[in-house]
Amino acid sequence: MLRNATTGDWIGSFAGHKGAVWSARCNSTCLLAATASGDFTARVWDAITGSELFKFDHKHIVKSIDFSQDSSRIATGGHEGLVRIFELACPSDEPLVIDVNNDSKDAKVTITKVEWDGNKIWCGCADGTVKLYDMSSFFNVTGEVEDEDEDEASSDSPKLVTICEVNGSVMDMELSKKLHTMTVCSGDECSFFDTRDFKLLKRHKMPKKVEDRSYDCHFRNEGGASLHPEGKKFVAGGGDLWVHVFDYETGAEIERHKGHHGPIRCVRYDKSNNGNTYASGSEDGTIRLWSSVEEKVEVKKEKVEEEVKVE
C-alpha cells in the first residue's frame, strides 16, 4: 500500500499479488512502483492510479526489487540465486540474467537484496556476501561516459567487481549515494562499506542484554538499518521490539524507542527532509513515524517545566 510519508495516512493499495510482498520500491519520480512477492512474480504499478502495468513471472520466491536510475529497467533477485533485469519498454523480452551462484562458495545461494547503483548492481546474499556487478557493457542508465578497457567493452557477461564479506545472511542493504556508503545488516552486526574502494569503514555489534531478551537486537531473521543523511548516526531495528539509534563513529546507543509489539522488519530515514524523521515497519502490522530532531524534544520539556511553575 501507499501512504503519506509525513502523516502516515493511507493513500491507496496495489491489489494483485497472491503471496507475501517481500520488497516494494518507488522510482525517482514516484510515478511508478515495483513489488517482489512470494507468489513467484514481480510487478510494476502505476503509483498514481494503482493499476498494474507489468507482471514478470519467476520460478521461485522473489525477495527484492529495484529501479534503475532512469526508471527504464528493474532488477530482481530471490531464491533462485539469479538477478533478472527487465526492460520496461520491452516487457515481453527475455531478461538479462546474472547467475550469482557462479560466484558463490555454496552450490545454491538466495539473493536477499538488490540495489541499483548507476550502471552497477549490488547483490546481498544469504551466504554472507555482498557482490557488485558492473553492467556498463550492456547498457548505460546514467548517461555518463565511463572509461573501459577493450576486453571489458567486448565482454558478453556481467563483470564481477568485488565481493564484500559479512557475518551471516544479509537481511538489509541501503545505499547512501551522497555519502558513498553501503549499509549492510547481518547476524548481530551493522557493516558500512565505501562504495568507491569497497573497503570496510565501520562494523558495529548490536546491543545484547542477557537478563532481558527484549533488548537483544539482531538481524538473524529480520530487521534493518538506515544511515542518517549527515552520516553521524544510524537507526536500526531487528529481533527485539525496540527502535535503536546509534552513533556512527563509536557504535554507542544514543536512543531507544518502544512502541512496536512485534520484531522490527525495516527502518528508513526520510532523506527528503534532511533525516528529521524516520519510519519503522514491524510484524505487529504497523508502521510508525519517529522524529529525530532533538530541538523538538527540548521545547516540549521547557513547556512542561513552565506549566509546573505556574501551578
Side-chain angles (χ1 to χ4, degrees), residues 68-80:
S68 62
Q69 181 175 312
D70 63 357
S71 303
S72 65
R73 298 170 176 85
I74 58 167
T76 66
H79 282 210
E80 296 176 86

Side-chain angles (χ1 to χ4, degrees), residues 35-51:
T35 52
S37 172
D39 64 6
F40 296 14
T41 70
R43 304 181 190 225
V44 176
W45 313 79
D46 184 320
I48 304 301
T49 66
S51 301

Side-chain angles (χ1 to χ4, degrees), residues 172-188:
D172 190 29
M173 294 194 321
E174 182 194 46
L175 177 63
S176 301
K177 292 186 178 181
K178 292 184 178 180
L179 299 174
H180 306 290
T181 303
M182 176 64 78
T183 303
V184 182
C185 298
S186 62
D188 59 355

Side-chain angles (χ1 to χ4, degrees), residues 12 16 29 40 48-49 63 85 119 136 143 157 164-165 175 182 215 223 243 249 277 280 284 287 296 300 303:
T29 62
F40 296 14
I48 304 301
T49 66
K63 293 286 288 185
I85 300 169
N119 292 322
S136 56
S157 61
C164 302
E165 296 188 353
L175 177 63
M182 176 64 78
Y215 290 94
V243 178
E249 290 295 332
T277 58
S280 58
D284 63 9
I287 298 171
K296 291 184 178 180
K300 288 181 180 179
K303 287 184 177 180

Side-chain angles (χ1 to χ4, degrees), residues 113-165:
K113 297 293 176 181
V114 291
E115 283 274 355
W116 214 302
D117 183 11
N119 292 322
K120 299 179 178 67
I121 295 177
W122 294 85
C123 303
C125 304
D127 64 353
T129 63
V130 179
K131 300 175 175 67
L132 178 64
Y133 292 91
D134 187 352
M135 309 300 297
S136 56
S137 61
F138 293 90
F139 48 73
N140 188 337
V141 300
T142 64
E144 299 176 358
V145 178
E146 300 184 9
D147 295 331
E148 57 185 0
D149 298 331
E150 291 184 4
D151 293 340
E152 294 179 3
S154 60
S155 174
D156 59 353
S157 61
K159 177 189 174 185
L160 177 64
V161 178
T162 190
I163 298 178
C164 302
E165 296 188 353

Side-chain angles (χ1 to χ4, degrees), residues 183-236:
T183 303
V184 182
C185 298
S186 62
D188 59 355
E189 297 176 339
C190 272
S191 303
F192 302 88
F193 293 93
D194 191 313
T195 58
R196 295 164 295 186
D197 58 17
F198 318 118
K199 292 182 179 179
L200 179 65
L201 299 172
K202 298 285 182 181
R203 178 168 285 167
H204 296 305
K205 286 274 189 181
M206 295 293 97
K208 186 175 183 179
K209 292 189 177 181
V210 178
E211 68 273 13
D212 187 347
R213 302 302 294 183
S214 67
Y215 290 94
D216 189 5
C217 181
H218 62 79
F219 311 109
R220 290 188 286 273
N221 301 307
E222 65 276 301
S226 181
L227 184 61
H228 190 274
E230 295 180 354
K232 297 180 179 179
K233 59 184 178 180
F234 65 96
V235 60

Side-chain angles (χ1 to χ4, degrees), residues 1 17-25 34-43 45 60-66 76-79 110-114 169-173 220-223 264-266 268 283:
M1 64 178 64
H17 281 298
K18 307 299 181 183
V21 178
W22 287 103
S23 178
R25 290 290 182 95
T35 52
S37 172
D39 64 6
F40 296 14
T41 70
R43 304 181 190 225
W45 313 79
H60 213 309
I61 293 171
V62 190
K63 293 286 288 185
S64 187
I65 194 167
D66 195 17
T76 66
H79 282 210
T110 294
I111 298 172
T112 57
K113 297 293 176 181
V114 291
S169 176
V170 176
M171 284 290 110
D172 190 29
M173 294 194 321
R220 290 188 286 273
N221 301 307
E222 65 276 301
I264 311 300
R265 278 285 183 181
C266 183
R268 284 294 182 269
E283 288 185 12

